[in-house]
Amino acid sequence: MQIIAKNSLPTVQINGEVAAHILNASDHPGLSVSAFIVDVATDAGPPRHTHPYEEIFVIVEGTVRLEAGGESVDATPEDICVVPAGTPHKFANLGPGRARMVNIHAAKDVVTEFVPDEADTNESYAYNRPGA
């Protein structure tokens, strides 16, 4: 068994606060699946992006508007959403309160490619590695 301290993981910041911790499997011997542990404020979420693998959204708390491949759904803890590989997607917390979820990345390495989106006006998304 491995125990990984969440505060040792790289983070994503949105609007100046930590919005996710990134468990990149290739940074931890023996792991083959990566994940984002997400905790976002109301109206927060990443810009539109893709991954070359499936992403599974497991909402633990709150309501998240997930847009993927031209579809939009307001997902709750009653839903598990699967975004196919290569599908442009984004999400935002609808509130009230925080949204918490675990986003499973079906790969050893997290790979994210941002997609131009005229509707995105939030330029505060930042990736941070501990100690960097």
Side-chain angles (χ1 to χ4, degrees):
M1 174 175 17
Q2 286 188 57
I3 305 296
I4 301 166
K6 189 167 72 170
N7 67 0
S8 73
L9 300 173
T11 62
V12 169
Q13 289 191 357
I14 299 175
N15 299 328
E17 73 172 26
V18 172
H21 289 82
I22 305 168
L23 176 62
N24 195 51
S26 65
D27 294 337
H28 304 277
L31 295 185
S32 59
V33 175
S34 300
F36 278 55
I37 298 89
V38 179
D39 181 348
V40 291
T42 300
D43 296 325
R48 190 173 307 281
H49 60 280
T50 64
H51 308 288
Y53 47 76
E54 294 84 12
E55 182 174 9
I56 301 168
F57 291 75
V58 181
I59 295 94
V60 176
E61 182 179 335
T63 302
V64 176
R65 175 156 298 146
L66 176 61
E67 296 179 24
E71 294 183 59
S72 180
V73 64
D74 293 348
T76 71
E78 297 301 314
D79 305 302
I80 296 173
C81 303
V82 180
V83 175
T87 303
H89 62 283
K90 67 180 182 178
F91 66 83
N93 174 10
L94 293 180
R98 301 190 72 80
R100 293 178 176 87
M101 60 186 158
V102 176
N103 298 352
I104 302 164
H105 288 236
K108 282 187 72 114
D109 286 301
V110 171
V111 176
T112 302
E113 184 172 322
F114 292 97
V115 177
D117 183 350
E118 292 177 12
D120 275 328
T121 57
N122 183 352
E123 298 178 5
S124 70
Y125 188 90
Y127 175 75
N128 303 291
R129 293 189 77 73

